[in-house]
Amino acid sequence: MTGAANRPRPRLLLAPAALLAALVLALLPVPSATTAAAADGGAADSAVTVTGKKGKYDDFSALKVTVHQTKDLRSQGVRVSWEGGTPTSEGDFRRNYLQIMQCWGDDPAGPTREQCVFGATGVPVALGTLAQSRSVVAGTGFAGDPEETQYTGANAFVPFRPVAGLPPTTSTKDPTYFGPLDTNEQAAARIFAGGSGEVNFEVQDATEAPHLGCGMNTAPAGSTPVPRSCWLVVVPRGTHNPDGTDVTRAGEDGTVDGSPLSATNWAQRLVVPLHFLQVDEFCPKGQAERPTAGSELVTDAVTSWQPKLCSATDSTFAFTQGGEEEARNQVQGTTADSPLLGFTVAPVAQDDGTKIVQAPVAVSGVAVAFFVEGPDGVVQDMRLTPRLLAKMLTHSYQKDVSLAQGHAPHLAGNPAFFNEDPEFKKLNPEFPVLNGQPRSLLVPLQSSDTTKLVWNWLQTDAEARDFLSGKADPWGMKVNPYFKDLKLAESTSLTDFPKVDPTVTDALANGTPPLTYTLTDLNPYTADLHDGALRTLRGNDNRTIQWQAGDNSPPKLVNDPALWGRRAVLAIVDTASAQRYGLATAALRNADGTFVRPTTATLTAGVAAMRPTAADASVLDPDPARAKGQAYPLTAVAYAAASMNQDAAARTAYAQFIRYAAGPGQTPGVSAGQLPAGYAPLPARQREQAEAAADALERGATGSESPGGTGGSGGDTSGSGTGGTSGGNGTGGTSGDTSAGAAAAGGTGTTPPASVPPSGSAPPSSGPQQNIANPAAGITPKDVMGIIRWVLVAVLILGGAAGISGPLMLRLAQRRNP
């Protein structure tokens, strides 16, 4: 089980005629690719649509709400869309919106209002105060709810009653079970012109929300497990208060008030059941427990594999997320008394004579995810260059350091925010003018191989290197001088994101005594990549810069959330977390100027562009300088590393883990044991390497051959490589010539579940080197022509070779990929 501390990646010379024919064929143009329609990844069949009803005062009978995934759920984002509503006025959330919440409840008829998570947002929007609360008292402009007979009195509120008989909350602000920083409620979801809209709602299983218990086994011991189902509840709000007051009539303030949990409003609720994967005790008791630890890039994959590994092997594999360097040290120190399987990106050193097998098990990457609310909806497209990311990471925008006007004189002349940077605006001409102020880029605190990969990407780009070294960009913007002397443009050992600007600012609100904030208060670190994705989904970076007087306690700084409809948060995350929560990701410029989003195809192409590390030929080097064409520059391969210094039982168990991970575990899907969205299936060559590594580990240190297995390289320099596959059968796709910047990998790809929006919205047209490579999953006509072309090339080449030399053909056959 996952630990609680976790949340709790030469060609031969041939006959001249054959060679000439091959070259002519290779130079023939390939038809333009046609984007394939995205499938629903197994979630569409669980979509549920519910219809509103005519209420006592407002008519919601035309409202239809669809929850696009209701089965095989875990803590994740789920797309919720609607149509037939009355539009919310732009920038005005005072009326006509939806309130969405998650509830528990074992009654098939649905949950009670006491079982719903709501009332903790504390977001200073233009909503009525009571509309954000569990309070059911009368409010400004209305006399109360005449239908409310259960909770009455001067301080009446609907308490939250958690699962498992735990005590209920004692006030409307009781944070015992959820608070402003971890609630998943949507206090005001906007209805756009035409009556439609959508959000990615964060559903929480019992790991994230034990007070709901979703996914916990409810069946008696010894019987077939029955994970607890939960509910999604939508309460539509119109133009009337619970007492019937029309807030749009003359003399009224235009703001609907009253809690959605008040009896009249609760009667209008739309209810959808949510079915979760089991989260507790999925392994048989008494099995040997085998510890595993390491890179966050495998966390989602291992968590999915764990339930199936219990039955596929005789072991229970526990996993502890941590830094890769720590995992490497633990693998090096492994003994018969302390077995371990570690996950890392960079290789484990083998300079002490100890044999280490290193098996590829997961392909994913690092992404810049964002949640930006524009005037016309949530923004889906963003392009970033290495220099733009360098500006964000060095806090070189004025308001990334201090929100006080002129309080960062060392940044005078630099733009206030990234969206005001001329470079960003030139690259993103259709990016909307925001109603609010975007937050600084969120980065993880932990030291990691993934952080080093980001810095490597910046260092391989001449513009970013010049900026980090102190050279102004074409518009005069310069690096924050506090970062200039850190050697960020050249250091090869950067594994963290420093925050060295010492600027101190008075808190936003006046008060006595005065309180101040620093860079880490304004732009706090995230706990890890997953935490960054969660904060982005919630639209709250958790900054604490707001002065607040305490109740019988000294004043303090508290969270300063963004206004509803004005949230803009960016974060460095892993691709699995971005997909899990349905986040949009930026298209990053790779080595030949192509802007690429992380998809199955572009991650696979990223692997094909890699070459073995100098330290260990069995481990690929995630070198952004080689990422061209469709290759995503921040692709990473995560390796399972195990020492031979373990007893035979441990080696056999870990070999079984590797075989499952590289075999059935590479089948994309949302069910337990499958490969979650955000990962690309291992290319065939890496799967073979993993099998060889597992065999070597199980045999033990009996030979002198490299225990890492064969097939350590990615594609080859001539352009032949191995693509990905969406199934578990180990077949590969084709690869183009990565050295020429052509498509580096084809193959079939995974498609995200319906809860995840497609990552391929068409970008605005642009000039040279502005194209976004965002191939859809599946083989396009261009891929087919490419496959046929290179197959014919291979036939001609082999024919020429056969005409020259039989022995040469034998050697060629030995080198071909299966």
Side-chain angles (χ1 to χ4, degrees):
M1 279 64 72
T2 306
N6 308 329
R7 316 155 328 266
R9 184 200 20 177
R11 298 195 184 270
L12 297 172
L13 293 175
L14 304 178
L19 179 58
L20 179 59
L23 290 175
V24 171
L25 183 60
L27 293 174
L28 289 175
V30 177
S32 300
T34 301
T35 302
D40 290 321
D45 59 350
S46 69
V48 171
T49 299
V50 289
T51 302
K53 46 195 167 185
K54 183 174 176 58
K56 186 175 182 180
Y57 307 117
D58 291 295
D59 186 359
F60 301 111
S61 57
L63 178 66
K64 295 183 183 298
V65 177
T66 300
V67 181
H68 291 262
Q69 182 185 349
T70 61
K71 296 179 181 178
D72 291 328
L73 295 169
R74 51 180 179 155
S75 290
Q76 65 176 81
V78 170
R79 180 174 169 239
V80 181
S81 65
W82 50 89
E83 59 184 23
T86 301
T88 310
S89 298
E90 183 176 335
D92 185 354
F93 280 88
R94 293 186 297 166
R95 57 194 172 273
N96 295 321
Y97 54 82
L98 304 183
Q99 297 186 289
I100 310 175
M101 62 199 79
Q102 184 179 345
C103 315
W104 72 277
D106 298 329
D107 188 334
T112 66
R113 49 187 174 162
E114 293 86 358
Q115 296 170 320
C116 295
V117 170
F118 192 85
T121 55
V123 180
V125 294
L127 296 176
T129 302
L130 296 177
Q132 304 174 67
S133 173
R134 303 186 73 89
S135 175
V136 291
V137 299
T140 303
F142 82 104
D145 185 350
E147 301 295 327
E148 183 58 64
T149 58
Q150 183 175 1
Y151 299 103
T152 59
N155 299 308
F157 73 99
V158 179
F160 173 72
R161 300 184 185 278
V163 74
L166 295 173
T169 54
T170 57
S171 73
T172 59
K173 296 183 179 180
D174 186 344
T176 301
Y177 303 110
F178 52 89
L181 297 183
D182 58 7
T183 185
N184 62 348
E185 65 197 78
Q186 291 276 344
R190 182 179 172 184
I191 304 171
F192 290 92
S196 63
E198 66 177 58
V199 297
N200 276 311
F201 184 83
E202 177 198 351
V203 297
Q204 298 176 338
D205 63 23
T207 303
E208 294 284 345
H211 48 278
L212 292 172
C214 311
M216 295 291 288
N217 181 25
T218 60
S223 57
T224 302
V226 179
R228 169 171 275 115
S229 296
C230 282
W231 306 86
L232 186 138
V233 172
V234 179
V235 177
R237 306 300 299 272
T239 60
H240 290 81
N241 284 330
D243 65 351
T245 302
D246 184 347
V247 301
T248 63
R249 71 184 184 186
E252 299 296 334
D253 63 2
T255 304
V256 294
D257 218 329
S259 171
L261 305 181
S262 181
T264 296
N265 292 329
W266 181 251
Q268 306 305 309
R269 69 192 181 279
L270 290 75
V271 180
V272 176
L274 303 175
H275 304 283
F276 284 78
L277 297 169
Q278 186 180 348
V279 298
D280 64 324
E281 298 299 330
F282 42 69
C283 288
K285 294 181 179 180
Q287 286 192 159
E289 183 169 306
R290 306 292 180 183
T292 70
S295 178
E296 183 179 2
L297 292 184
V298 303
T299 299
D300 273 25
V302 171
T303 303
S304 175
W305 296 336
Q306 282 174 319
K308 293 300 181 181
L309 282 165
C310 296
S311 56
T313 71
D314 294 326
S315 300
T316 297
F317 293 94
F319 173 70
T320 302
Q321 180 183 300
E324 292 89 352
E325 185 62 25
E326 180 182 359
R328 285 189 285 271
N329 292 335
Q330 290 177 311
V331 170
Q332 287 177 320
T334 297
T335 66
D337 295 327
S338 58
L340 181 76
L341 185 71
F343 300 101
T344 183
V345 176
V348 180
Q350 306 190 56
D351 53 4
D352 60 354
T354 300
K355 286 192 174 182
I356 307 290
V357 300
Q358 300 186 91
V361 293
V363 174
S364 61
V366 183
V368 178
F370 59 94
F371 173 50
V372 177
E373 293 178 310
D376 299 318
V378 176
V379 178
Q380 296 295 330
D381 295 307
M382 182 185 294
R383 301 175 184 179
L384 294 177
T385 63
R387 182 166 60 195
L388 280 170
L389 194 64
K391 294 175 179 180
M392 296 178 185
L393 292 177
T394 56
H395 298 272
S396 295
Y397 297 109
Q398 293 189 47
K399 297 299 178 72
D400 280 359
V401 170
S402 172
L403 295 182
Q405 188 68 31
H407 209 68
H410 54 294
L411 299 178
N414 286 3
F417 301 101
F418 75 84
N419 61 313
E420 298 178 7
D421 186 343
E423 179 180 9
F424 181 86
K425 291 195 288 187
K426 180 179 179 180
L427 197 62
N428 299 274
E430 296 189 6
F431 198 82
V433 176
L434 302 181
N435 290 324
Q437 299 175 343
R439 306 297 175 97
S440 305
L441 177 71
L442 288 167
V443 297
L445 175 62
Q446 62 187 14
S447 176
S448 173
D449 290 354
T450 56
T451 301
K452 185 176 182 179
L453 173 58
V454 174
W455 286 115
N456 286 349
W457 178 51
L458 272 55
Q459 291 168 349
T460 60
D461 182 83
E463 293 177 348
R465 287 198 309 271
D466 285 346
F467 182 82
L468 292 171
S469 299
K471 182 178 179 180
D473 75 0
W475 300 271
M477 181 175 177
K478 292 185 178 180
V479 70
N480 186 328
Y482 289 109
F483 290 79
K484 185 177 177 181
D485 295 330
L486 298 182
K487 308 298 181 184
L488 299 177
E490 57 196 59
S491 175
T492 60
S493 58
L494 293 169
T495 59
D496 64 346
F497 295 112
K499 293 181 181 289
V500 296
D501 191 312
T503 301
V504 177
T505 305
D506 292 336
L508 291 180
N510 296 322
T512 303
L515 298 175
T516 59
Y517 65 82
T518 63
L519 179 60
T520 53
D521 299 313
L522 179 63
N523 180 226
Y525 282 107
T526 62
D528 52 29
L529 299 171
H530 176 268
D531 182 44
L534 263 179
R535 294 194 201 180
T536 303
L537 176 66
R538 294 168 181 168
N540 188 351
D541 63 355
N542 291 12
R543 72 186 189 186
T544 54
I545 61 171
Q546 183 68 49
W547 191 96
Q548 183 184 78
D551 297 329
N552 301 319
S553 62
K556 60 183 178 180
L557 293 181
V558 297
N559 179 235
D560 173 45
L563 299 174
W564 285 94
R566 300 183 181 183
R567 293 171 292 180
V569 178
L570 298 84
I572 291 181
V573 306
D574 60 298
T575 55
S577 293
Q579 285 278 27
R580 179 172 181 168
Y581 293 108
L583 298 174
T585 54
L588 306 182
R589 192 178 70 190
N590 67 14
D592 68 356
T594 305
F595 284 85
V596 187
R597 292 187 183 92
T599 66
T600 298
T602 61
L603 291 171
T604 304
V607 177
M610 296 179 186
R611 294 297 177 267
T613 61
D616 192 320
S618 68
V619 176
L620 295 176
D621 183 16
D623 182 3
R626 296 191 59 87
K628 300 178 181 180
Q630 295 182 18
Y632 183 66
L634 298 184
T635 302
V637 179
Y639 289 82
S643 171
M644 296 293 189
N645 287 348
Q646 306 185 69
D647 60 43
R651 295 200 316 274
T652 297
Y654 290 136
Q656 291 174 330
F657 181 104
I658 292 170
R659 291 188 186 104
Y660 183 90
Q666 294 300 310
T667 303
V670 297
S671 299
Q674 295 183 319
L675 189 68
Y679 292 95
L682 283 174
R685 182 174 295 181
Q686 278 65 47
R687 297 172 81 160
E688 292 173 359
Q689 180 188 350
E691 287 283 351
D695 292 345
L697 178 62
E698 191 163 19
R699 287 195 306 268
T702 58
S704 59
E705 71 278 358
S706 170
T710 60
S713 62
D716 65 37
T717 56
S718 64
S720 62
T722 307
T725 171
S726 63
N729 57 8
T731 57
T734 62
S735 172
D737 187 345
T738 58
S739 64
T748 56
T750 67
T751 307
S755 61
V756 180
S759 59
S761 301
S765 59
S766 56
Q769 294 192 343
Q770 301 291 309
N771 296 324
I772 297 181
N774 188 31
I779 298 179
T780 67
K782 179 177 180 179
D783 295 325
V784 174
M785 285 300 298
I787 293 170
I788 295 172
R789 181 172 67 177
W790 288 109
V791 167
L792 291 176
V793 169
V795 170
L796 289 170
I797 290 175
L798 291 176
I804 293 177
S805 172
L808 284 178
M809 278 297 297
L810 290 176
R811 288 200 296 273
L812 178 62
Q814 291 170 352
R815 295 181 57 181
R816 292 180 61 203
N817 293 332

